Amino acid sequence: MAIDWAAKRAAYKRDGAVHIPGLLNPDQLAQALASWEWSLENPTKLNASRLIRDGRPLFYADSFNSRVMQGYGDMLRDSPIPEACANLWGRDPVWFIYEQVFLKESGDVERTPWHQDGSYIPMDGEDTAVAWITFDPLSKADSLEFIPGSHLGRMYNTSKFDPKDPTRPHDESLPYPLLPNIEAEREAWEIISWPVEPGDVVFFHFKTLHGGAATRVGQRRRTLTLRFFGERCHYDPKTAKNLPMFKDMAEKLKPGDTMRAPGFLQLHPKVPA
């Protein structure tokens, strides 16, 4: 089925999140899953987190693998996702930033608190996108949720993911207001989500407020996120605590500089080898 990119672009600009069914064909989906599996087989020392399987739920998360191109390079070059980012922004080029993998299974895992990625990623601008891929079918109630238009509003001090207080900030030194307790006041907010199937991709802006549903006993959730930026994006360090994974930015860019730090892979248009 042909994609109406003009409509998707308008929705992305308005809502900060769009669902594109069937963007990945079976081969592309298999490549994405192989990259996800590579991440589990090659955990980072700094970011990988596990809960041991002793009857408790399993939660695994990892990101910023320094060897990411070994497991992701071919998949990223063959994927339609970078071109989809360009279509959503209405312009080239598209650069890849980093990957993030999640595995939740074998019991109840609490929902991911509402948060914005933009308050800890050291860049800002119109051309940013997270591509969210699930390898398991999810109902609308079990899918990722968004506050439409929140990417156009204020930046909040994003959640520390404290189960006792989902609004607790991850860095109290940041000059941003506290997150509202969206989950406790759901009826006061417009919330959007979609049922998703393997092969679908959900795209959202770095500043879009989003949160994930809890997992239930017997449910398995394998998800991969890929982050990208484009021409209308600039360096915004926010806090020195966020810079270890972006060392080249801190050394080569000043706040407000257009993002052109070396080390990022340009995926669309493809650069000749």
Side-chain angles (χ1 to χ4, degrees), residues 232-246:
R232 293 171 295 186
C233 192
H234 61 271
Y235 177 54
D236 181 1
K238 299 181 177 73
T239 172
K241 294 180 182 179
N242 297 329
L243 297 179
M245 298 303 176
F246 299 98

Side-chain angles (χ1 to χ4, degrees), residues 83-265:
E83 184 176 3
C85 289
N87 284 326
L88 292 175
W89 300 335
R91 66 181 62 205
D92 299 327
V94 178
W95 288 276
F96 172 67
I97 311 172
Y98 71 94
E99 84 299 347
Q100 192 168 23
V101 298
F102 299 96
L103 171 60
K104 303 176 183 179
E105 65 177 7
S106 302
D108 289 314
V109 177
E110 293 185 357
R111 68 171 288 120
T112 301
W114 291 93
H115 64 287
Q116 289 166 301
D117 294 352
S119 69
Y120 60 81
I121 296 177
M123 57 181 72
D124 196 7
E126 189 170 348
D127 296 342
T128 72
V130 181
W132 184 80
I133 303 162
T134 177
F135 302 107
D136 304 286
L138 296 172
S139 68
K140 187 175 187 293
D142 291 332
S143 191
L144 201 61
E145 298 181 317
F146 304 92
I147 304 297
S150 54
H151 66 304
L152 302 173
R154 66 177 60 187
M155 181 86 80
Y156 293 100
N157 198 334
T158 209
S159 177
K160 194 176 180 65
F161 303 105
D162 181 347
K164 296 180 181 179
D165 181 5
T167 68
R168 180 184 175 193
H170 82 114
D171 183 351
E172 295 182 357
S173 70
L174 290 175
Y176 303 134
L178 288 177
L179 281 161
N181 195 341
I182 296 171
E183 194 59 23
E185 306 166 346
R186 286 181 66 94
E187 68 284 350
W189 295 84
E190 181 183 0
I191 297 173
I192 59 173
S193 65
W194 302 272
V196 289
E197 295 288 334
D200 296 0
V201 181
V202 174
F203 292 85
F204 61 95
H205 190 280
F206 287 1
K207 290 173 66 175
T208 305
L209 280 162
H210 61 285
T215 56
R216 301 180 301 276
V217 173
Q219 187 180 34
R220 186 186 198 198
R221 188 178 303 167
R222 298 167 296 166
T223 53
L224 168 65
T225 64
L226 306 169
R227 288 167 169 79
F228 303 89
F229 73 91
E231 188 76 23
R232 293 171 295 186
C233 192
H234 61 271
Y235 177 54
D236 181 1
K238 299 181 177 73
T239 172
K241 294 180 182 179
N242 297 329
L243 297 179
M245 298 303 176
F246 299 98
K247 185 178 179 180
D248 59 340
M249 290 192 204
E251 293 175 348
K252 301 179 184 301
L253 296 177
K254 301 184 297 296
D257 281 355
T258 301
M259 283 300 307
R260 291 294 182 275
F264 295 113
L265 176 65

